[in-house]
Amino acid sequence: LLNSIYEAESVKTCMIYGRRRIGKTTLIERFVSDKPNINIEFDDSSSKINLDIINNRISAFIGREVRTDSMRSSMDIIKDICKERKMVIVFDELPYMTSNFSGGASEIQHLTDWVTRNTDSMIIIAGSSVSLMLDEVMRSDRPLYKRFMFTIDLGPLKINDTRMIHRSMSDEDLMRTYLTLGGVSAYHRLVGDHSYKEMMNRYVLNRFGFIQSDVQMGINLELGNRVTDVVSIFKAISGGDNTYGGIQNISCLEDPVLQRDLDRMTVAGFIQKNDSMITSRRSKIYTISDPTTAFYYDVVDRNRSVLDTSDKDPYGSLEHIISTWLGKQFEVFCRDFIKEKYPCSEIGSWWGKAPLTKDGKVMKDEGGKVVTEDVDIDVVAVIRKGNDRVDLFGECKFTREPMGFPVLNDLQIRVDSLKGSFNKRLALFSVSGFSDRLREYSEENGILLFDLDVLLGKKGLPELG
């Protein structure tokens, strides 16, 4: 996309944003490596230091020292350079400059307007604070409003891309690592080809390790002025108080402060609000959507006392808890997989009441009334195939043993309890595969099976029929 903008577009402006460590700076460096460029990366410090950074980058490009006493003068020099040749001008970590440099955004606006009108050069802005980057270009009261014609929301790597980093990992450890690190390229590069257990002990569960401190730094960068209240929201969600009322009760935050914090955390990609599919429910729930942040609050923070006394093998002390957490993350992965691979118009999960079963039979009380329990269906998707609609219902298991009939039976009972008219297809997701009998039955009855080979792209997708 960047190359096509550089080569073909008349207005060559692009904003790149995304969470810390996702690869924005590396992407920009690769893009400009064969092009004349002035790549300015701002610092979270004074206006004087940031002006020095600009002048140093200009000096490095033209081969002689440049010292100006204002950003306007520095921008005028960049204009002169762009007159002479086609350039790429990059302002990386833009929020550092706009928060420390009064009038800095206006100077970049003037430069951008002049360059796009008078030259064939390209201007890129980038930053790790998602909310601040969006504010800079989306709010009508900001100088850079509507100045950047293209936008790249740089997301995480796909699991198959991480295979190129973890070449020697087993498929099972690759999946565990991906669920924990969430496709954040810097984290995957850091841990390399260690086994999952060794990776966890060295880099994730180690209180002196890089990843724990980096997660906290990312929260401070994005939400620093609200960090105390935001932490209370994270703790409420990870502790199961994940409705608006539950979060409010734990955090003691009043409206509209709580709503503003939730909105800001959502824009920043830390949390998301979820509705139950199929049936409308008043009580929506919030989840921590960033995987490393979720792991920190769901596992590390909630088990700090165990970790503090388990320096030699913290993973061994928390293996059961981590396995349960991986199971929940696997559900998210499977929903994302279906959304990516099939033409979904809606996707999510369902939670509600369904008949309680034992050994495959529906339980009844002494009066003959069906006994119900609170349950969920991990994957619910509406898939459009031509003029046809397929309602996909799926169950996900992250266990060591191949999946058998009990999981399918429970899913069938839960789906049958739903009210409505559906074109039902059942799907099962398992990292450990399926029993031979379940495979045979599924093939005869149109049950879609997704094992690790399918999820990693080693086998083709099941056909919807």
Side-chain angles (χ1 to χ4, degrees), residues 43 73 110 149-150 160 193 207 214 286 314 374 399 413:
D43 186 70
S73 299
H110 294 317
M149 302 302 293
F150 294 88
N160 289 337
D193 266 342
R207 66 179 182 273
D214 197 64
Y286 289 85
D374 290 318
T399 58
I413 290 170

Side-chain angles (χ1 to χ4, degrees), residues 280-294:
S280 176
R281 296 174 63 87
R282 292 181 179 179
S283 183
K284 299 172 174 56
I285 63 171
Y286 289 85
T287 57
I288 303 176
S289 52
D290 178 69
T292 50
T293 304

Side-chain angles (χ1 to χ4, degrees), residues 176 179 320-335 378 396-399 431:
R176 293 185 183 96
L179 295 178
H320 176 70
I321 293 171
I322 292 170
S323 295
T324 301
W325 184 85
L326 287 172
K328 298 302 293 183
Q329 288 299 113
F330 184 58
E331 295 170 15
V332 178
F333 177 90
C334 293
R335 287 192 290 270
D378 299 332
C396 312
K397 293 297 178 186
F398 198 95
T399 58
V431 293

Side-chain angles (χ1 to χ4, degrees), residues 160 337 341 452-460:
N160 289 337
F337 182 87
K341 300 298 184 181
L452 202 52
D453 284 345
V454 174
L455 297 174
L456 293 179
K458 294 182 176 182
K459 292 194 313 191

Side-chain angles (χ1 to χ4, degrees), residues 85-144:
R85 61 193 306 180
K86 184 176 181 178
M87 296 286 298
V88 180
I89 309 299
V90 179
F91 298 105
D92 199 357
E93 295 300 352
L94 181 75
Y96 286 157
M97 186 275 294
T98 56
S99 60
N100 293 301
F101 207 135
S102 177
S106 294
E107 296 299 342
I108 292 179
Q109 174 222 320
H110 294 317
L111 173 70
T112 301
D113 290 345
W114 188 90
V115 166
T116 54
R117 285 196 304 265
N118 298 286
T119 79
D120 198 29
S121 292
M122 181 173 178
I123 295 184
I124 297 172
I125 59 172
S128 298
S129 176
V130 174
S131 58
L132 292 179
M133 287 297 294
L134 293 175
D135 277 350
E136 290 295 341
V137 300
M138 301 298 184
R139 283 180 47 178
S140 59
D141 61 339
R142 297 297 176 93
L144 297 178

